[in-house]
Amino acid sequence: MIKLGIIHGGLSTEHEVSEMSAKSILENLNKEKYEIHEIFINTYGKWYEVIDGKREEVYNLLWTLKELDVVFPVLHGLWGEDGTIQGMLEMLQIPYVGCGVLASSVGMDKVYTKMIFEKANIPQTPYVYIKKNHDTYLLVNENFDEEELEIPRITEKLKFPMFVKPSNSGSSVGVKKATNMEELKQAIEYAGHYDRKILVEQEIIGREVECAVLDGDEIQASTVGEILSAEEFYTFDAKYNKPESKTVIPANIEEEKIEEIRNLAIKAFKAIDGKGLSRVDFFVEKETNKVYINEINTMPGFTQISMYPKLFESVGVSYSELLDRLIENAMKTK
Ligand SMILES: Nc1ncnc2c1ncn2[C@@H]1O[C@H](COP(=O)(O)OP(=O)(O)O)[C@@H](O)[C@H]1O
Ligand SMILES: [Mg+2]
């Protein structure tokens, strides 16, 4: 039996999402193969071991973790998907599912992800990088020089509508669409509550599609799925509280486009030095049919109805088999 640690919950705004992902994972793991050690982190960062459904406080974290053969950190967002827990597991020399420290932190930070995608020549929408310094906002240029932000300067570089996002965010928390100068100002202040780095992007009107990447002997890309959001854009509510939001697999686009997106997904995964798994999200622009990358998620949602497992299911890899492969790969790469 493999001693498998499933860590869930966590300190981030995506705590509940992690809970949902972990619930599905725990249900689908092959109980004959794994001795499961369930570990829960509450929103204050306290660790518990879950034994027979009861939470018992962990007194010696090192000892609890060192007992395990492999860990699946089912954590989304900060302190989970951003390289921090990965760094801890590296220090302890415990194999874990998913990307390493660098890929996790780059993938979590939207501004730095953009810079890497730029370097890899993966098409993306134009953007502006803003930094918050106490109550002032700074515009950061390509050379990392900073000047005090005057909002109209943004409109010299980008056209409305724009999307404003905290650089470190997930599940659309802190993300707002702005259609005029006033909304832009408010959206920047709003994003500033979540992170001191802020990304402003030009909107892409078109389809929103996603591709799953699985690392093994070779890097494999699934087919492409499409998001049909119940709201104007794919907000937190549209993602988790609106059953009207739908996923369509495969996406209703030409075979050629699917191939192009699969190749770009692998390219993006390699560009951030990915390992294990990632879900790579794109837009297909309505007017031009051009593909633009949006982001890479190094620990995508993992409920049974989440896009990542569904994409692999549609190409013949069942949820349980997918978990086996991820865990097997994690143990192999150490
Ligand atoms: N440039 C853009 N053009 C059009 N829609 C966008 C753009 N950026 C974000 N969105 C919308 O906002 C949602 C959340 O943004 P995203 O960058 O994916 O953040 P998160 O990491 O929180 O998922 C996307 O799923 C999409 O619906
Ligand atoms: Mg997203």
Side-chain angles (χ1 to χ4, degrees):
M1 294 270 261
I2 296 167
K3 289 185 184 162
L4 167 68
I6 299 288
I7 305 182
H8 60 88
L11 288 149
S12 82
T13 51
E14 289 173 281
H15 177 95
E16 291 304 329
V17 183
S18 156
E19 290 299 275
M20 292 189 267
S21 292
K23 188 168 175 278
S24 290
I25 290 173
L26 287 164
E27 278 167 10
N28 283 282
L29 279 168
N30 181 348
K31 308 289 181 306
E32 274 153 33
K33 214 166 165 178
Y34 307 107
E35 180 186 305
I36 298 167
H37 294 244
E38 190 184 336
I39 295 165
F40 170 74
I41 306 174
N42 75 10
T43 48
Y44 301 102
K46 242 189 175 149
W47 293 59
Y48 299 85
E49 202 163 350
V50 185
I51 299 164
D52 298 327
K54 281 208 194 85
R55 286 176 190 163
E56 291 180 12
E57 204 174 320
V58 170
Y59 287 104
N60 190 333
L61 184 57
L62 196 67
W63 199 69
T64 302
L65 293 175
K66 271 309 242 181
E67 263 191 320
L68 306 169
D69 296 321
V70 58
V71 163
F72 192 158
V74 191
L75 299 165
H76 308 298
L78 292 175
W79 305 287
E81 195 178 346
D82 62 346
T84 50
I85 197 160
Q86 289 76 10
M88 186 174 89
L89 294 167
E90 292 282 347
M91 285 292 291
L92 298 175
Q93 301 272 289
I94 303 170
Y96 56 94
V97 170
C99 287
V101 174
L102 179 80
S104 300
S105 29
V106 170
M108 187 68 222
D109 191 310
K110 293 186 190 302
V111 169
Y112 279 83
T113 304
K114 284 260 178 197
M115 293 175 197
I116 299 290
F117 289 166
E118 218 160 15
K119 178 82 186 152
N121 285 316
I122 303 174
Q124 58 186 348
T125 189
Y127 69 98
V128 163
Y129 171 18
I130 294 166
K131 234 185 200 174
K132 187 182 170 183
N133 184 12
H134 302 291
D135 284 334
T136 55
Y137 292 88
L138 304 167
L139 187 70
V140 186
N141 74 12
E142 304 77 55
N143 306 319
F144 296 93
D145 294 327
E146 299 169 354
E147 59 178 90
E148 197 163 330
L149 173 69
E150 288 164 34
I151 304 265
R153 289 274 283 129
I154 299 174
T155 58
E156 289 168 19
K157 297 175 193 257
L158 310 176
K159 282 191 249 156
F160 284 115
M162 295 173 201
F163 274 84
V164 183
K165 313 172 182 181
S167 190
N168 279 293
S169 76
S171 290
S172 304
V173 177
V175 176
K176 268 195 191 305
K177 180 173 162 170
T179 51
N180 57 50
M181 213 69 97
E182 185 52 34
E183 282 177 9
L184 179 58
K185 184 170 170 279
Q186 284 170 4
I188 291 170
E189 279 167 13
Y190 182 67
H193 292 308
Y194 294 93
D195 194 4
R196 62 180 187 88
K197 282 180 281 178
I198 298 162
L199 176 70
V200 185
E201 280 183 8
Q202 200 165 294
E203 179 183 44
I204 295 168
I205 298 168
R207 293 177 191 273
E208 200 167 344
V209 297
E210 305 186 338
C211 181
V213 174
L214 176 62
D215 193 6
D217 294 333
E218 56 178 33
I219 302 171
Q220 189 188 346
S222 69
T223 186
V224 173
E226 182 173 359
I227 303 288
L228 299 178
S229 174
E231 292 192 353
E232 193 197 359
F233 70 95
Y234 208 30
T235 60
F236 186 90
D237 256 359
K239 283 176 182 173
Y240 307 110
N241 300 326
K242 291 267 165 93
E244 305 90 283
S245 288
K246 295 259 172 336
T247 52
V248 182
I249 299 173
N252 198 4
I253 51 177
E254 309 91 295
E255 193 52 44
E256 238 173 65
K257 280 283 141 192
I258 291 195
E259 279 314 302
E260 182 184 341
I261 291 164
R262 293 178 70 216
N263 288 330
L264 285 174
I266 292 177
K267 193 173 163 76
F269 184 76
K270 286 184 178 163
I272 67 157
D273 192 24
K275 208 178 81 184
L277 78 160
S278 281
R279 196 193 71 226
V280 193
D281 300 350
F282 298 87
F283 298 109
V284 183
E285 195 170 41
K286 194 172 171 193
E287 213 163 272
T288 60
N289 209 25
K290 268 191 177 156
V291 175
Y292 293 89
I293 197 161
N294 176 31
E295 60 162 342
I296 183 161
N297 296 285
T298 53
M299 192 50 76
F302 236 101
T303 70
Q304 215 142 8
I305 56 159
S306 295
M307 189 64 111
Y308 187 90
K310 272 175 72 174
L311 281 169
F312 274 109
E313 208 152 5
S314 85
V315 293
V317 185
S318 75
Y319 193 106
S320 297
E321 196 185 334
L322 182 61
L323 296 174
D324 286 345
R325 283 213 211 166
L326 287 167
I327 294 160
E328 219 169 89
N329 285 336
M331 294 182 72
K332 238 191 268 173
T333 44
K334 259 286 142 184

